[in-house]
Amino acid sequence: MIVDATGRAYVTHFGFDLFLGAPPAPSTLLCVEPTGEVRVVASDLLFPNGVAITSDGGTLIVAETFGGRLTAFSILADGSLTDRRCLAQLGNEPSWESVHTLLETNFAPDGCAIDKENCIWVADAVGGRVARVSSDGRILEERRPPQGLGVYSCALGGSDGKTLLLCTAPDFDDVKRKATPQAKLFTTTVSVPRA
């Protein structure tokens, strides 16, 4: 979820129960107005996950984990989204035959953060890394946590906005992670601060 400058919240959701093995299904992106009204602002998303808004408030970017891509939308004055486009195809789009085939991608965009140059730091849920992706879709930089851990989200913060926080765990199996908590947070310094 992300909240824009007007107080609108844009909320992603998987669209199916991944952990109980439900058949894969496309999902929607929801907009929650400050009044509490909820509406669908985008559909047919392939497991929308991380979401970011550019510093000018004009573009929303969503990580489609099982589409292997970052998808961008222009934000209209009423919060609606238009002009859907692929910002970056980071990995191959897997087959949607079953939950198991979803893992056939080589880059699964997950949680993300945007910097002052409108580049996206995005976690790769299958590759154990975060990548900094330019506004024209190029991977400019990568960082990996120690110990071969998976990275599932990231954030930019710190007093100067240049601390990149990596949210890591050995894997994303919710049963294993509940039984044995092994998540770790790591930080690294980057050159461009948060938006």
Side-chain angles (χ1 to χ4, degrees):
M1 178 180 81
I2 193 165
V3 179
D4 72 9
T6 69
R8 287 187 184 99
Y10 292 91
V11 182
T12 63
H13 61 102
F14 297 170
F16 66 98
D17 194 332
L18 172 71
F19 299 110
L20 289 181
S27 186
T28 60
L29 178 67
L30 305 173
C31 177
V32 182
E33 295 288 345
T35 61
E37 174 195 353
V38 179
R39 61 194 163 106
V40 173
V41 289
S43 58
D44 295 321
L45 296 166
L46 304 181
F47 208 89
N49 221 327
V51 64
I53 296 175
T54 55
S55 55
D56 65 2
T59 303
L60 181 139
I61 299 152
V62 63
E64 290 188 79
T65 301
F66 293 132
R69 65 179 158 258
L70 298 175
T71 300
F73 298 88
S74 297
I75 304 172
L76 300 178
D78 70 352
S80 298
L81 303 180
T82 188
D83 189 27
R84 181 180 186 152
R85 58 206 179 272
C86 179
L87 176 72
Q89 187 67 48
L90 298 169
N92 57 303
E93 185 178 323
S95 149
W96 273 61
E97 296 165 23
S98 74
V99 170
H100 302 291
T101 62
L102 294 175
L103 297 176
E104 293 173 354
T105 184
N106 53 349
F107 195 121
D110 206 330
C112 59
I114 194 163
D115 70 23
K116 198 170 186 174
E117 294 178 354
N118 285 326
C119 291
I120 303 291
W121 279 102
V122 60
D124 176 3
V126 296
R129 62 184 164 171
V130 291
R132 184 173 183 249
V133 181
S134 68
S135 59
D136 62 359
R138 293 176 293 122
I139 294 178
L140 303 175
E141 188 177 349
E142 290 185 1
R143 303 278 176 103
R144 293 183 183 273
Q147 305 164 9
L149 291 166
V151 184
Y152 303 102
S153 194
C154 60
L156 285 167
S159 59
D160 61 0
K162 294 181 179 181
T163 300
L164 180 65
L165 175 74
L166 308 180
C167 302
T168 74
D171 56 51
F172 61 87
D173 183 319
D174 68 329
V175 175
K176 288 181 189 175
R177 298 295 59 90
K178 286 178 187 173
T180 309
Q182 294 175 299
K184 294 181 180 180
L185 299 175
F186 291 94
T187 60
T188 184
T189 302
V190 296
S191 57
V192 179
R194 68 179 177 266

